[in-house]
Amino acid sequence: MRGRSSFLIVANRLPVDRVGEGTWRRSPGGLVTAIAPVLQRREGAWIGWPGSPDERLDPFDHDGMHLIPVPLSASEVELYYEGFSNATLWPLYHDVVAPPVYSRVLWDAYRTVNERFARAAAEEAAENAVVWIQDYQLQLVPAMLRELRPDLRIGFFLHIPFPPGELFYQLPWRRELLEGLLGADLVGFQRPGGASNFIRLCRRLLGLQHQKNEIHLEDGRVVRAAAFPISVDFGEFDSLVRQPHIVERAKEIRSELGDPECVLLGVDRLDYTKGIGQRLKAFGELLREGSIKPGEAAFVQIATPSRERVEEYMRLRDSIELQVGRINGEQGELGMQPVQYMHQSYGRDELAALYLAADVMVVTPLRDGMNLVAKEYISCRHDLRGALVLSEFAGAADELRQAFLVNPYDIDGLKRAMLAAMRATPHDLSRRMRSLRRRISTYDVDRWAKDFLADLES
């Protein structure tokens, strides 16, 4: 039996969060921001976990999207999501910034949940439908789905980095993951290096031949692997930040911070890959050395709660909060704390006001597939003011060459870049920002989705 949807998104999570009994709102975050508009236009369906364990929900409609919940037990959340996805794959794919956990129990749960997602997609997809599978939690789904429904056009996009062979070889289930991805017709990556790593591994591990970015399978199928750098809705941010209440809120934020000469801003999920500790260390040293005078600058760090039951993340939170307390204790004055640290989530309006209030946006991940915060900041700076300090290990660095690029492991280099951004002339800032905005306005999220889907459907 065939389903009704000619276009399907398959992702770990549904694009909504529960705000009350039977009440939902659209989720924040890059993946949802990027794909929800595409789904709404195509009147397709989104398959994903609703976010609560041991809950079975019927399909429902929200905000122009048909949503199909896939249930997960509490044990599967622990083993598949917190375990194999985030304790094994996440650190492995991010340059082993933390040691990955290799466990057969976690792997078995990952495979079981991937099968459930594949079956749900197979049941919902119409004849010859287009199915777009998202991210590292579902890397086995393409091959499983192809086995069930060979008529489908299947795309897969990896939002995080794809590691080089010397790291990927550690994984005991490396062949199974590669074979899983090869079920897709098109495998998309954030950077060309990710696509190259994947193609090389298919040749070395599976003995498959390739021509440029096309991998030739033994059954005669051809799988393409290419880079499609994800972006943001430039127009939405650009218009939002021009609204009077956002402009007024940005002024209020600066006033609440004591009207410093310079406001530096970091906005991240609390994660060990984001380089939050490195940027705080650099800022603390600039204060201690006297390069930044007391009251001259305020650093606002938003750290959105993330994976709070995972021990690695508990330790990270303790470490960051200790670091903030030390800087404020040693460098603060009565009524003035140099670092304002917020461990909470913010809505889009407040974030837009923060972007507009910030003179320097500090984005220093140790490894990041893309980093949409950098692109959101640029989208909000129609005044052509503001500076972006950006890690060269973020995927966005490939495109945003006019940012102040840094190696976040080099604390002295990070300090120089932060000072250079703070001291830059208005002419230099407007020249850089104009170039950055030209790139984001031209290659926005709509263009990203159109390019991927055009390639998939061609």
Side-chain angles (χ1 to χ4, degrees), residues 127-183:
E127 189 80 33
N128 300 316
V130 171
V131 181
W132 194 1
I133 300 158
Q134 306 293 327
D135 225 6
Y136 63 105
Q137 302 96 340
L138 302 176
Q139 290 177 91
L140 301 179
V141 172
M144 291 172 170
L145 182 56
R146 177 145 323 266
E147 186 76 22
L148 294 167
R149 293 287 304 275
D151 60 297
L152 300 177
R153 198 79 178 153
I154 302 171
F156 179 92
F157 187 79
L158 183 68
H159 292 258
I160 68 173
F162 190 80
E166 53 268 27
L167 294 181
F168 193 80
Y169 265 59
Q170 291 182 23
L171 192 63
W173 308 278
R174 56 201 187 190
R175 289 183 66 93
E176 289 91 331
L177 278 184
L178 289 179
E179 288 166 351
L181 291 172
L182 288 170

Side-chain angles (χ1 to χ4, degrees), residues 37-169:
V38 184
L39 191 70
Q40 289 163 328
R41 279 195 301 273
R42 288 183 172 233
E43 297 182 351
W46 186 309
I47 291 173
W49 175 49
S52 298
D54 297 311
E55 183 176 40
R56 293 186 177 272
L57 297 174
D58 292 329
F60 62 99
D61 293 322
H62 177 83
D63 198 15
M65 299 179 288
H66 184 59
L67 307 180
I68 301 169
V70 173
L72 294 181
S73 69
S75 170
E76 287 167 341
V77 172
E78 181 183 351
L79 300 175
Y80 145 78
Y81 179 68
E82 294 172 354
F84 197 81
S85 294
N86 290 316
T88 303
L89 294 176
W90 180 269
L92 178 68
Y93 283 30
H94 287 88
D95 288 357
V96 196
V97 172
V101 176
Y102 299 119
S103 157
R104 288 167 290 184
V105 175
L106 302 186
W107 164 251
D108 288 342
Y110 184 82
R111 190 173 53 200
T112 298
V113 171
N114 272 242
E115 284 172 357
R116 188 175 307 146
F117 274 84
R119 284 197 304 274
E123 289 169 10
E124 177 62 26
E127 189 80 33
N128 300 316
V130 171
V131 181
W132 194 1
I133 300 158
Q134 306 293 327
D135 225 6
Y136 63 105
Q137 302 96 340
L138 302 176
Q139 290 177 91
L140 301 179
V141 172
M144 291 172 170
L145 182 56
R146 177 145 323 266
E147 186 76 22
L148 294 167
R149 293 287 304 275
D151 60 297
L152 300 177
R153 198 79 178 153
I154 302 171
F156 179 92
F157 187 79
L158 183 68
H159 292 258
I160 68 173
F162 190 80
E166 53 268 27
L167 294 181
F168 193 80
Y169 265 59

Side-chain angles (χ1 to χ4, degrees), residues 305-438:
S306 171
R307 300 169 191 164
E308 295 190 278
R309 301 195 325 176
V310 180
E311 189 177 340
E312 194 82 40
Y313 289 78
M314 294 179 196
R315 284 201 300 268
L316 174 67
R317 179 179 177 182
D318 289 345
S319 169
I320 295 297
E321 292 178 356
L322 183 67
Q323 196 176 4
V324 169
R326 185 173 290 131
I327 293 170
N328 286 338
E330 292 176 355
Q331 305 301 324
E333 296 177 349
L334 204 59
M336 193 281 295
Q337 290 187 326
V339 179
Q340 299 287 329
Y341 170 78
M342 312 292 176
H343 182 246
Q344 52 194 271
S345 300
Y346 285 90
R348 177 160 295 209
D349 281 17
E350 185 73 356
L351 278 178
L354 282 161
Y355 290 145
L356 191 57
D359 302 290
V360 180
M361 188 79 216
V362 187
V363 181
T364 55
L366 308 178
R367 173 64 69 191
D368 210 336
M370 178 52 57
N371 195 289
L372 295 180
V373 164
K375 294 186 174 184
E376 289 175 358
Y377 178 72
I378 292 163
S379 303
C380 287
R381 298 316 300 238
H382 61 87
D383 56 0
L384 301 184
R385 295 159 71 182
L388 174 63
V389 175
L390 179 63
S391 166
E392 59 197 29
F393 301 125
D398 290 348
E399 303 170 82
L400 307 181
R401 306 306 297 175
Q402 290 300 316
F404 292 83
L405 295 176
V406 293
N407 172 1
Y409 292 100
D410 176 6
I411 301 299
D412 286 336
L414 185 48
K415 286 157 62 178
R416 287 192 296 271
M418 289 166 70
L419 273 181
M422 290 173 64
R423 309 276 195 257
T425 65
H427 174 74
D428 185 32
L429 291 176
S430 65
R431 178 186 61 80
R432 289 172 181 266
M433 190 57 72
R434 187 175 286 108
S435 171
L436 293 169
R437 282 175 62 82
R438 190 181 304 122

Side-chain angles (χ1 to χ4, degrees), residues 181-256:
L181 291 172
L182 288 170
D185 298 290
L186 174 64
V187 185
F189 300 88
Q190 299 279 24
R191 307 178 87 166
S196 300
N197 289 342
F198 176 69
I199 290 168
R200 275 195 294 270
L201 279 162
C202 288
R203 187 185 69 232
R204 286 187 205 163
L205 272 174
L206 306 180
L208 297 173
Q209 299 300 309
H210 69 92
Q211 287 182 308
K212 293 187 177 176
N213 63 340
E214 293 185 341
I215 303 165
H216 295 264
L217 275 59
E218 291 168 356
D219 62 3
R221 287 179 53 241
V222 175
V223 177
R224 296 191 68 247
F228 299 88
I230 197 170
S231 194
V232 297
D233 189 336
F234 178 89
E236 183 180 350
F237 279 101
D238 184 58
S239 60
L240 175 63
V241 85
R242 296 172 192 264
Q243 294 181 19
H245 74 283
I246 301 292
V247 175
E248 189 58 36
R249 178 61 188 139
K251 291 176 183 171
E252 286 176 8
I253 288 169
R254 292 191 70 98
S255 176
E256 288 167 9

